[in-house]
Amino acid sequence: MEDGKNKKRGVEDLGPSLYRKVRDESGSVRSHEKRPALIKVHWDDIVETCDWTEAEDVKLPRFVTIGWLITENERCLKVGHTMNEDGRIYGITAFPKGCIAHIDYLTQG
């Protein structure tokens, strides 16, 4: 999105990438690095049994996912595990907040 301030400097947003590409006054394209945080999400999975397992024997497995933090709100945390050369992140996992045990920040965004 272009605003008056960016127009004066000749900056143009060229896409929704997390690494925002801009065109400067000379017309050259360069990247403004807006690095997303690299995080480790510790989360509990949901389990269902369809046999004669006793309730006390049913345990929640804990998993760990590492990736770049995309978005977070009161319901959901989205993490991507693959980044292309343009800085776009793919391989998105959406975690319900209730399944997350804790988050370790490996780098700050």
Side-chain angles (χ1 to χ4, degrees), residues 45-83:
D45 202 359
I46 297 167
V47 175
E48 176 185 8
T49 62
C50 59
D51 58 13
W52 299 105
T53 304
E54 297 289 332
E56 61 271 3
D57 295 329
V58 177
K59 308 289 187 223
L60 293 177
R62 169 111 357 132
F63 293 98
V64 174
T65 297
I66 297 175
W68 289 280
L69 174 61
I70 306 300
T71 60
E72 181 176 15
N73 61 35
E74 65 281 346
R75 288 191 62 219
C76 179
L77 174 90
K78 291 183 183 179
V79 175
H81 63 71
T82 302
M83 182 186 295

Side-chain angles (χ1 to χ4, degrees), residues 5-52:
K5 183 177 174 185
N6 282 343
K7 277 186 181 177
K8 289 178 189 170
R9 291 185 296 157
V11 176
E12 173 187 353
D13 190 351
L14 299 178
S17 171
L18 288 173
Y19 286 79
R20 193 175 71 128
K21 289 186 174 183
V22 297
R23 189 177 309 279
D24 65 19
E25 293 162 354
S26 70
S28 300
V29 174
R30 58 188 170 77
S31 290
H32 275 308
E33 291 189 20
K34 178 186 173 190
R35 295 186 185 272
L38 185 62
I39 62 173
K40 185 189 314 187
V41 182
H42 301 258
W43 56 282
D44 296 324
D45 202 359
I46 297 167
V47 175
E48 176 185 8
T49 62
C50 59
D51 58 13
W52 299 105

